Amino acid sequence: MAQQHDREHDRDPRGSREYRGTEGEPTAGRSVASPVASPVAPASGRVATEVAIAGRVGGIPANPFAVSDVRVRKAQAAGADVIDLSKGNPDGEPPEFMLDAAVTAVRDRANFRYPAFAGKPAFLQAAARWYARQYGVALEPASELLAVAGAGVGISEVIEALIDPGDLVVMIDPYYPQYRGSTAVAQGRIHLVEAQPELGFLPDLQAVPERVWDEAKLLILNYPNNPTGAAATPELFAMAVRLAKAHHFTVMHDFAYAGIGFDAHPPISLLQTPGALDVGVELCSLSKMYMVAGWRAGFVACRPELMAAVRVVHEQTSLLVTSVVQDAGAAGLNSDQASVRALAERYAGRYETLRDGLSRAGLELVPSHGGLFGWLRVPDGWSDQDFALWLLAHPHVAAIPGSDFGPAGASYVRLSLLVPESVLHRAAERIARARGDAW
């Protein structure tokens, strides 16, 4: 069981540290003032009053993607023709057989009623078959799988089920911002372990001090990784499982980019690791595999004891996955996954187009093994924030500053692959033309 204490962890030579945030920035784990009175702007005919805001709200960080959307809209309003590479929003459509399944499901009178809290049996069975075919993992649909309205919902539910105020969550830096945000909502503390470029942007879990693992309640992993494109190895997952068993914490693997790999061997599941189901929970999303981000569907996989706790949170806080979406999702999961492999090849081609175009601008993308993004090192002498602003102001290309994904991202920006190759080629050309003597 994780124990609380107030000391700050020493910085580890491999980059392991407790994240305290930047000056003036609320940080998960930092004590927050008691609820404060907040004035509300009066509307016409109303009397101004005060409301008491929950103290934990002050510790929740801003969503960097929402901040980026505001910047892009302002640039567009000023007349800029922006190529928006800041979003992780798929630009295609699902395979035809999934659309057909959705149309059929719309006319199914059984789908006019509320679905079961855990998910339709056919959807959960399809997820179990998918795990068995793709990864050799046997799961019991009724007790080890849960339908959720996207992996992001699953992330929140797992964290809420596991983390009490003051509990320690270990995450790899850089990280997907929701991990920090959901930990802040649960009022947990964060310890960051820096991904090592020389290790292919994977962490050295063995270098983390034992006292961190003794305190940890949860370790969060995400491969293929957003934003770096790193791919997990069997050795990394085996080490995480070994540590979790020795120190009694849970490993959560965000497998949102399952199937979206660029290498000869597809991305691996945490649950393939011997003993992983004893200590692990995995989150999967239909959004990226089948281009149905707007449908909001995914599933959580874990042992029954943990699933019981996640379901308690789920049943009180979450919207259920639409029945029609579950039927279409089952069609996708039951398919031969040829459409997913074709999608991965498409993204690999886009990555190569962007990589080659940016190299002509004197810029280098980090080698990627999968996912939907390019991780670009900024020119020497630039900060990531300044470079992202320059990209928007001059070649009118929107990117996300790397530090929005954690301190280790401060020398990078993230670029999306979710536009056609022709658009990525044009973006790289714009950057090369605008470069001048900027670097």
Side-chain angles (χ1 to χ4, degrees):
M1 188 73 167
Q3 297 178 349
Q4 299 180 31
H5 71 48
D6 294 327
R7 70 174 182 272
E8 181 174 357
H9 296 306
D10 297 330
R11 185 179 178 92
D12 183 77
R14 299 290 290 178
S16 170
R17 67 208 183 281
E18 187 168 357
Y19 183 36
R20 297 293 180 177
T22 55
E23 184 176 354
E25 177 185 28
T27 305
R30 181 176 294 166
S31 60
V32 181
S34 57
V36 294
S38 176
V40 175
S44 176
R46 295 182 182 175
V47 177
T49 186
E50 293 181 342
V51 294
I53 304 299
R56 65 178 175 273
V57 172
I60 301 174
N63 185 313
F65 308 118
V67 172
S68 177
D69 283 348
V70 171
R71 289 176 179 169
V72 170
R73 286 196 297 269
K74 285 182 177 179
Q76 291 170 331
D81 175 22
V82 177
I83 297 177
D84 190 356
L85 302 186
S86 68
K87 294 182 182 298
N89 210 353
D91 63 314
E93 59 186 34
E96 194 68 26
F97 65 84
M98 287 184 68
L99 293 174
D100 291 342
V103 170
T104 299
V106 165
R107 295 186 176 278
D108 184 347
R109 295 185 64 85
N111 286 336
F112 300 166
R113 300 173 63 84
Y114 290 121
F117 277 104
K120 296 185 73 172
F123 178 77
L124 300 176
Q125 291 160 7
R129 285 191 289 267
W130 176 83
Y131 257 115
R133 286 195 317 271
Q134 300 299 312
Y135 306 107
V137 174
L139 295 171
E140 168 53 48
S143 61
E144 296 180 324
L145 286 162
L146 172 69
V148 290
V153 171
I155 290 166
S156 297
E157 291 180 356
V158 170
I159 290 175
E160 287 286 342
L162 288 172
I163 301 304
D164 285 319
D167 282 346
L168 187 65
V169 178
V170 178
M171 56 187 75
I172 311 306
D173 183 10
Y175 53 81
Y176 182 57
Q178 188 194 345
Y179 308 152
R180 181 180 162 219
S182 292
T183 300
V185 171
Q187 295 183 291
R189 293 179 296 130
I190 292 173
H191 182 93
L192 297 182
V193 178
E194 189 168 327
Q196 303 299 316
E198 65 271 22
L199 297 179
F201 281 90
L202 296 178
D204 183 354
L205 298 181
Q206 286 184 291
V208 177
E210 287 282 306
R211 67 178 182 273
V212 174
W213 297 128
D214 286 339
E215 285 191 66
K217 191 80 170 289
L218 178 65
L219 166 64
I220 302 178
L221 302 175
N222 165 223
Y223 301 101
N225 184 259
N226 175 9
T228 68
T233 62
E235 294 77 18
L236 174 67
F237 281 162
M239 175 58 68
V241 169
R242 191 156 55 248
L243 288 166
K245 290 192 171 189
H247 296 274
H248 309 291
F249 61 82
T250 299
V251 181
M252 180 174 81
H253 181 224
D254 180 3
F255 203 20
Y257 306 109
I260 310 297
F262 299 166
D263 304 323
H265 299 290
I268 61 175
S269 162
L270 169 69
L271 301 186
Q272 290 175 264
T273 307
L277 201 55
D278 296 335
V279 293
V281 53
E282 193 157 66
L283 307 156
C284 297
S285 170
L286 305 190
S287 299
K288 312 307 187 295
M289 289 194 291
Y290 307 116
M291 287 224 176
V292 291
W295 287 6
R296 307 308 303 145
F299 47 93
V300 179
C302 61
R303 69 187 187 278
E305 297 83 0
L306 175 55
M307 184 62 78
V310 175
R311 284 183 175 177
V312 168
V313 177
H314 171 80
E315 291 172 4
Q316 293 291 355
T317 65
S318 181
L319 293 174
L320 307 182
V321 184
T322 303
S323 296
V324 170
V325 170
Q326 290 191 58
D327 287 355
L333 292 166
N334 285 328
S335 74
D336 63 6
Q337 307 305 297
S339 65
V340 181
R341 290 191 292 274
L343 198 58
E345 291 177 7
R346 183 188 308 175
Y347 291 144
R350 290 178 177 185
Y351 168 83
E352 291 169 1
T353 294
L354 185 61
R355 177 197 63 197
D356 295 346
L358 290 173
S359 69
R360 291 189 285 272
L363 298 170
E364 183 179 359
L365 276 185
V366 167
S368 178
H369 299 278
L372 309 181
F373 306 100
W375 191 233
L376 175 67
R377 186 168 185 88
V378 304
D380 291 343
W382 288 76
S383 74
D384 63 307
Q385 296 283 344
D386 287 344
F387 190 63
L389 290 174
W390 181 90
L391 286 173
L392 186 58
H394 296 278
H396 304 313
V397 174
I400 299 288
S403 57
D404 286 347
F405 302 90
S411 296
Y412 301 86
V413 296
R414 193 195 75 171
L415 300 167
S416 171
L417 303 176
L418 296 171
V419 295
E421 285 190 37
S422 59
V423 177
L424 294 170
H425 180 73
R426 189 163 76 249
E429 282 190 333
R430 282 189 186 183
I431 294 169
R433 287 198 305 270
R435 173 188 177 184
D437 59 358
W439 62 86

